[in-house]
Amino acid sequence: MKDILEVCLVAALAAGIIPSIGAQSQTVMQKGISVQLAIAGNAVPMPDADQEDALIVTITADGGVYLGVNPITPAALTAKVKDRLSNRPEKKLYIKADARTQYTNVAKVLDAARAAGVDAPNLLTAQSDSSQHGTLVPPRGLEVLVGPPLPSGPEATIVQLRNSGQQWPTVKINGGLVPWASLQNQLSQLLQNRTKTVVLVKAEETSSFADVAAVTDLCRAAGAQVVLATPEL
């Protein structure tokens, strides 16, 4: 990939570090396709996602893709997005992925957004239910990069994510197996004296979006800029 896209992973994690699709506050959003959203932490406010004219692509649990409320194929998405954003000064696109969908479905939409010239697509997820259940809360987000591979050498940090069949996925840092509970701490130590705190997250295509969101969140909590790899990488 030639372009670096800034992705916002919209979420809030309830002071924990495990993937979750559990209790959530209701996010204030315009009417659209309903999905079960993933939860992540370290979010920043993304109020523009609640604007009436916000451009939202939804990915359902079974991989179905919708532009607004209209079904569309990933192959047709690039042209539609480019046309819809052609007269807008800011090329903002929001991607609302179901927590249970496979990462490959999200990656296809990210690639379509990149091809459409979107500089900052936003991956939307739910807030944790840190307040009273059912409370309406505004959208929030995590910034993530999608772009060219990292250079090799001592400055390169790669986090690999694979299905384990257990509660937590299998995670490796630069090829070395890392316990889930130690991921954030080990990344913090690794990046402590780095001039470039960029981490490439490479998820197995069959990984759930909830797991990818949680790993990305831990990397951000460790102070890293996250490059979210897609199959093209």
Side-chain angles (χ1 to χ4, degrees), residues 1 3-5 103 144-152 155-161 171-175 183 187 190-191 194 196-204 212 215-216 219-220 224-233:
M1 272 183 203
D3 300 325
I4 291 183
L5 305 182
Y103 177 62
V144 182
L145 302 176
V146 179
L150 298 177
S152 59
E155 290 292 307
T157 302
I158 299 174
V159 174
Q160 295 172 284
L161 171 64
V171 181
K172 295 182 178 181
I173 299 179
N174 293 337
L183 177 58
L187 278 172
L190 184 65
L191 300 173
R194 295 282 183 86
K196 295 182 178 180
T197 57
V198 181
V199 172
L200 177 66
V201 174
K202 301 182 70 173
E204 196 172 38
V212 176
V215 168
T216 301
C219 292
R220 291 289 299 174
Q225 289 183 296
V226 177
V227 177
L228 195 60
T230 66
E232 287 191 8
L233 299 182

Side-chain angles (χ1 to χ4, degrees), residues 13-90:
L13 185 64
I17 58 171
I18 60 175
S20 174
I21 53 175
Q24 304 168 356
S25 297
Q26 184 178 352
T27 301
V28 179
M29 291 289 294
Q30 59 174 290
K31 185 178 179 181
I33 304 299
S34 178
V35 296
Q36 183 171 310
L37 295 169
I39 297 173
N42 299 290
V44 296
M46 292 290 160
D48 287 348
D50 194 34
Q51 298 299 314
E52 185 176 352
D53 63 347
L55 189 58
I56 298 177
V57 176
T58 301
I59 307 166
T60 60
D62 62 0
V65 179
Y66 294 79
L67 180 58
V69 296
N70 301 311
I72 192 170
T73 65
L77 188 60
T78 296
K80 286 288 186 180
V81 169
K82 183 180 292 186
D83 179 65
R84 292 281 296 274
L85 295 177
S86 60
N87 295 321
R88 300 191 186 191
E90 294 184 296

Side-chain angles (χ1 to χ4, degrees), residues 118-142:
V118 177
D119 294 326
N122 307 285
L123 284 177
L124 302 178
T125 65
Q127 319 259 355
S128 61
D129 195 7
S130 56
S131 56
Q132 185 178 354
H133 183 64
T135 301
L136 295 178
V137 292
R140 296 175 65 84
L142 290 171

Side-chain angles (χ1 to χ4, degrees), residues 35 59-64 98 100-102 105:
V35 296
I59 307 166
T60 60
D62 62 0
D98 194 290
R100 300 160 294 182
T101 199
Q102 294 185 349
N105 299 322

